[in-house]
Amino acid sequence: MTDHSLIVDSTQQPSTLQFAPVFNVAVPFIDRHCTEGRAEKIALRTNQGVEVSYRLLAENVNRCGNALRDLGLERGDRVILIVKDCAEFFYIFWGAIKAGVIPVPVNTLLRAKDYAYILADSGCKALIYSPEYSLEVQSALEQLENLPLCICVEGGKDSLQVLIAQASAELEPVAATADDDCFWLYSSGSTGNPKGAVHRQRDMVVTSQYYAVEILDLSEDDICFSAAKLFFAYGLGNGMTFPLWVGATSVLHDGRPTPQSTFETIEKFKPTLYFGVPTLYAAQLQALATERPDLSTVRLCVSAGEALPADIFNRWREETGLIILDGIGSTEALHIFISNRADDLMPGSSGRAVSGYQLRIIDDSGHEAAPGDPGRLWIRGDSIARCYWKNPEKTAKTMIEGWFDTGDTYFQDEEGYYYYCGRNDDMMKVGGIWCSPFEIEAKLIEHHEVLEVAVIGRADGVGLIKPEAYIVLQNPSAVTESITEELRKHCKEGLAPYKYPRQFHFVDELPKTATGKIQRFRLRTLV
Ligand code: 3UK
């Protein structure tokens, strides 16, 4: 048998990772647990009542890998997953990797047009989907010239569940190397077509060790629950790779994350780690005004996807006694590369570099920015995607000599903490001075009437850019002249004088991406 071993030396800071010359990442993430005595331990639990031990997980991963081979998929072929959070997601993802096939999990909230684009762009040989998405999938397929093999996870005699049941439970891992392509994730981007970020075998090891073990102190005693779904790089780490790396348990919920569903899941499954996004924390805080769920099993909360305003951090701590660790990650980096730590917190900041990552802030003249000055954030590290699939221009533009241009504007303070200022195109110059929409939003969210807010720059009558705020109120019937005046005063008291919004718009909801990021560019096109 080939040795797919991996040596992790945690006595070094950062830990050093040494991969055997032949390395298939399904071995340490899946097979290792049976040889290390965790065969009967529960790897995952779902809200549908499914419980999967590490032994059953390893068997079903093998069956699924064999089923993909039996269907004719070969090494390097892509299989697209439009699959909800469920046990089969794990089987397909790891079965593919073990068999040398490239799994490509895709956002389940997209529409037929987006699926048609991704199916064609990826040149996938197979598509596996949950029955919930069959309407969008069918109409995507109607738009395609070359049809992939299409398999529904459940229902009917050709379903994946039937194929898995019929396939052999023995599978030798394909002999790969740590640098070989392993899986792809489509980065949604706020504009333009999605781009396939090509990740290597080693990337999940890097994020699991440097972020989950070193920052979250994750161990096999933990139970992880991610409100962010598995198709999102953030959820893929939180809800699958991190718990599998240490032999912990993951809790999956296949419904829409709402304050009610997340609180219920926490009470029922008693996770020790909870992963959310800022808009969900804000909605949960609102719900906490009228209900008191038991969150006592949670030892730590995590936030990413968007910057977490200091005010939400503070209120969550007051209401629940829990800390939220904010960190910035991306699809290209696979997971979080700047983070707060339980013993090194700076509310309102993204924290410091995660070990294993190098960071640079580059100003407009192409030089390293001085402390306090904003610039574009560039990162380097071992989990960053090798390239964008079939997109050499975009690859060349953002991936430069080992560095990745995140597209985010950041500054670093004298103490070394990193502060998010917005996407490059969100920054505005007001009166000649750089002004971060995020800083104004963070001020407005402190106000008790404000539920959500987005700030953009808009040219006034003489063409000068001024901040404007779009606000969702806690209580929509509170829209009056006096609230506008009060919010303006609130900003003027707490921000540099030129930063207060000149206009306030009260709206029912803000435009967001499927992963919950506010689309400021959509607000800019409103008049
Ligand atoms: C923004 C943040 C400020 C930022 C992600 C954790 O969000 C993730 O990946 P995406 O590819 O988006 C990346 C972009 O989102 N962002 C994310 N987190 C923060 N901005 N503070 C934050 N804490 O613009 C970044 O470039 O969807 C998050 C782990 C894995 C991920 N993929």
Side-chain angles (χ1 to χ4, degrees), residues 50 59 123 201 218 244:
V50 174
E59 272 179 25
Q201 294 273 339
L218 197 72
L244 290 183

Side-chain angles (χ1 to χ4, degrees), residues 1-7 19-28 172-176:
M1 232 179 98
T2 321
D3 170 23
H4 291 261
S5 67
L6 161 62
I7 302 165
F19 301 91
V22 174
F23 179 75
N24 184 311
V25 72
V27 176
E172 273 300 303
V174 151

Side-chain angles (χ1 to χ4, degrees), residues 455-471:
V455 168
I456 57 159
R458 195 187 296 284
D460 67 8
V462 288
L464 295 172
I465 299 289
K466 296 287 180 330
E468 262 185 23
Y470 286 80
I471 290 178

Side-chain angles (χ1 to χ4, degrees), residues 181-254:
D181 291 356
C182 182
F183 65 103
W184 303 355
L185 292 171
Y186 272 84
S187 146
S188 50
S190 47
T191 52
N193 282 324
K195 307 175 289 291
V198 176
H199 279 287
R200 298 182 243 231
Q201 294 273 339
R202 62 159 189 246
D203 297 2
M204 292 182 284
V205 176
V206 170
T207 54
S208 300
Q209 184 63 27
Y210 291 159
Y211 175 72
V213 174
E214 293 194 9
I215 305 252
L216 303 180
D217 200 19
L218 197 72
S219 78
E220 67 175 304
D221 300 328
D222 279 307
I223 301 174
C224 301
F225 170 48
S226 176
K229 300 295 178 199
L230 296 172
F231 66 74
F232 187 26
Y234 178 47
L236 190 81
N238 308 334
M240 188 175 75
T241 51
F242 298 169
L244 290 183
W245 177 242
V246 296
T249 300
S250 177
V251 171
L252 302 179
H253 189 282
D254 63 3

